[in-house]
Amino acid sequence: MIQLTATPISALADEPIHIQATGLNPLQMVVFEASLKDEKENLFHSQAFYRANEVGEVDLECDPALGGDYVGVHPMGLFWSMKPKKIMTRLSKRDVINSPFQVQLKLYNSDDLHIRLPLAAPKASLTVERWYVAPGVTRTQVQEGRIRGALFLPPGDGPFPGVLDLFGTGGGLMEFRASLLASHGFASLALAYFGYADLPPQLEKIDLDYFEEAANFLLSHPKVLGPGIGIVSLCKGAEIGLSMAVHLKQITAAVLINGPNFIFSHPHEYHGQVFQALPIPLHLVSINALGLLEFCNSFGDPQAEGNRRFLFPIEKSQAQFLFIVGEEDKTLNSKASAEGAIEQLRCNGKNNWTLLSYPGAGHLIEPCYAPLCSGSWCSNLPILWGGEVIRHASAQEHSWKEIQKFLRKHLIPGQPSLL
Amino acid sequence: MFKASLKDERGNLFQSRAVYRANSAGEVDLEQDPSLGGDYAGVHPMGLFWSLKPEKTFLRLIKRDVMNRPFQVTLGLYDSASFLDDSRQPRASQIVERWFSCPGMQRVPISEGRLRGALFLPPGEGPFPGVIDLFGGIGGLVEFRASLLATHGFAVLALAYFAYDDLPKYPMEFDLEYFEEAANFLLAHSKVQKPGIGVLSASKGTEFGLAMASYLKQVVATICVNGPVTISTIPLRYKDLVMKPFGVPAEGVHVHPTGGLIFRHHETNLQEEQNQQRALPVEKAQGHILFIIGENDECVNSRRHAEYAVDRLKRHGKNNGRILLYPGAGHLLEPPYGPLCFASWNLSFPSPLVWGGDTILHAAAQEHSWGEIQKFFRQHLVLSRSQL
């Protein structure tokens, strides 16, 4: 009898699952399919071909996929290679507390598929749950002073190392990374800064006083360990994270994912002082063969002499930095930015940085097992984020662990050095 | 910013844009000034045309009515601020017409015997060198390349072979005698030069083009654009001989990050003895064969197939085969100024197929290869006075 198993059947979205099939014919070619519907009813799915061994078994932990959405030995490939049915749709969990993503796993005889479409019922199927919170994690809507966001606390009394979580130019509030961090023992504040609640609908400037308010709010919380907090930030969020790390002593550790080492488009303000932004000549954006916008070459050369006034004086920061770079980022030349920032630190005799640079990874580096989104609609524009499916997945797997190690090392006193 | 837009015959919008800087006299000349960004960069006088993109991703631009109406392309001149803002009005605009036929040309629908297609005759008495035009897995009848070739003095028969009129949608077998009938029909026409004709074939069509070259002595010049040299998926019969197809096993199909399907990676080992016997016997061809290859073809590993065929000819002591290889060009190499179609929907598949190609290099390849196609046919089909 054909059996399909997945263990554990219910887990955190960043935890691996062991998928196996037994009871097949020897050397039978089968197809595993994973599919899910997101909260807006968008369909995502993936398929991979495997050949059973002499006793009719397939074990995704050690057997290679022979084709489909990925090839090679990738136990979690069915998850991170999922593609949306409607092109340019990004997978993003909105309600992180009350429900998981339900992923259907199905097993087909390869003859029962004609170019990705099933012609017969699957031989076996089951549903696994992918949660964005661990049991006991709490979510509190934050509306203190000007701050708008969601605070995730791990179960227990704490205190817990505090982390501020910042996303990019899409605006609104993305909570899934903060909730996962809380599931790993961090008090995480997912902070919105425009396009949410009564915050400005468009981004016009970066008001560092607002972000300082958020940092102080977090630090003053009884369950948050001081004396400093960490930042996990992506893209525009990383620009803000770097700015905060330069101006605010409260920032002890900053994780900057695919962010610029310069201010672009929107000026920063802190205590009345204005820091100018490199204007981006939008008409120099290039459009790729499928009509998506590639921004990475439209910034000119931010490291050039004439643009020095837009660079962050990173050498003034007392924080520790973890730069995470996707080398196939099509939105920003993240590698040049990280290298520029590191060069500035070196020139000033500082070594408070680590660089993790991932070949083949794109702009949207997320917690592990998230499907690669290489292009999607953002603020009504079709944006090319870049990335190659397999290498982006391994970058996510590696960096997610490194991010947690880095935050623990610098936010929890007495953590052993991991060198 | 210059913007070009057109609506195809089904109302689908295609657009392109490019940003230029005027000189000190306030002029821009696309023949010598570079685009600074947008759908292309650099000096490309026709860039606005070959970089057109469909508003709905994965649509392919194909002119259906080639005789009666042109494509109307609206060219607009905008402030560069309009680059990402479609709501603004142009400072100036102009409509240009892009025709697929010329005055005096004739289109004759063909429904003779088993044959289904359309014959395009240039203006004048002729006789004209005859060419059969074969498209690929898209099926139906695609006429625009045949009609354009006819404007250059060739009598061209656009021939359908499946999913058109009473031709089956999903044939179990193809019959080379159908194509032989077409060759004989064309040669018998009063306005077509004797004694030989040419074949222009692309993608799946090259299976038939190459089979015609191998088995039919009336075919003296054959062009194969980005296609296999083996029969694929559906068997081909010629009298007593049945050529069995190679299929692509499902696991050989790769998936592009967008979800599109990439077929090029399945490797038929053409060097294996048994497979060699199943490849088309090109060494029997008495005419000349030109392979036009896009190196970035994501649908077929056309380069490998063409190199195998030319190598096979050489091994038989023949050198009537030649390759034109275009780096950066994709699968759908068409007449010049046609927009690059990187990936599009195909009726037989649930996901779009990835054709590949780099926008600028593909455009250059189309421009160059179109000239080469005409030169090749003139060289091998048009009789010099001394041969008459």
Side-chain angles (χ1 to χ4, degrees), chain A residues 29 49 66-69 83 87 114-117 282-291 293 295 372 374 381 387 389, chain B residues 17 19 36-39 53 57-58 80 83-84 250-251 253 255-259 261 263 340 342 349-351 359:
Chain A
M29 184 78 92
F49 289 76
L66 304 172
D69 281 276
K83 311 266 174 349
I87 185 188
H114 177 66
I115 314 282
R116 293 173 81 75
L117 275 184
L282 286 178
H283 57 273
L284 297 187
V285 172
S286 52
I287 301 174
N288 86 344
L290 281 174
L293 302 172
F295 279 84
L372 166 66
S374 64
L381 297 172
V389 176
Chain B
R17 64 200 77 191
V19 177
L36 304 171
D39 281 280
K53 309 259 168 18
T57 325
F58 300 137
S80 63
F83 186 77
L84 291 174
E251 68 271 17
V253 179
V255 184
H256 188 260
T258 55
L261 304 179
F263 279 81
L340 166 69
F342 183 83
F349 302 96
S351 306
T359 310

Side-chain angles (χ1 to χ4, degrees), chain B residues 3-17:
Chain B
K3 187 159 105 167
S5 53
L6 80 75
K7 268 203 181 146
D8 74 5
E9 288 143 315
R10 289 181 188 173
N12 295 305
L13 184 62
F14 289 74
Q15 288 183 303
S16 62
R17 64 200 77 191

Side-chain angles (χ1 to χ4, degrees), chain B residues 110 116-120 131-134 141-144 146-147 156-160:
Chain B
I110 301 299
R116 302 290 176 264
L119 175 63
F120 293 93
V131 173
I132 295 181
D133 184 298
L134 299 170
L141 184 65
V142 183
E143 304 184 20
F144 70 89
S147 64
V156 189
L157 171 61
L159 184 66

Side-chain angles (χ1 to χ4, degrees), chain A residues 5 19 21 49 54 62 72 119 140 149 170 200 215 219 245 247 264 277 295 300 302 307 313 343 354 375-376 411:
Chain A
T5 59
I19 299 172
F49 289 76
E54 294 79 5
C62 46
L119 301 171
T140 313
L219 270 169
H247 296 285
F264 74 89
F295 279 84
N307 287 332
E343 191 49 38
T354 307
S376 69
L411 297 178

Side-chain angles (χ1 to χ4, degrees), chain A residues 370-411:
Chain A
L372 166 66
C373 179
S374 64
S376 69
W377 290 95
C378 183
S379 310
N380 284 328
L381 297 172
I383 312 278
L384 181 70
W385 307 114
E388 296 161 22
V389 176
I390 295 180
R391 297 206 286 178
H392 189 92
S394 77
Q396 290 186 155
E397 211 170 328
H398 187 264
S399 61
W400 188 235
K401 292 192 180 65
E402 292 299 312
I403 287 170
Q404 295 170 60
K405 273 199 290 194
F406 172 83
L407 292 170
R408 278 191 197 103
K409 175 177 176 184
H410 298 295
L411 297 178

Side-chain angles (χ1 to χ4, degrees), chain B residues 35-53:
Chain B
S35 159
L36 304 171
D39 281 280
Y40 63 95
V43 181
H44 299 288
M46 290 300 285
L48 287 167
F49 293 86
W50 46 247
S51 70
L52 284 167
K53 309 259 168 18

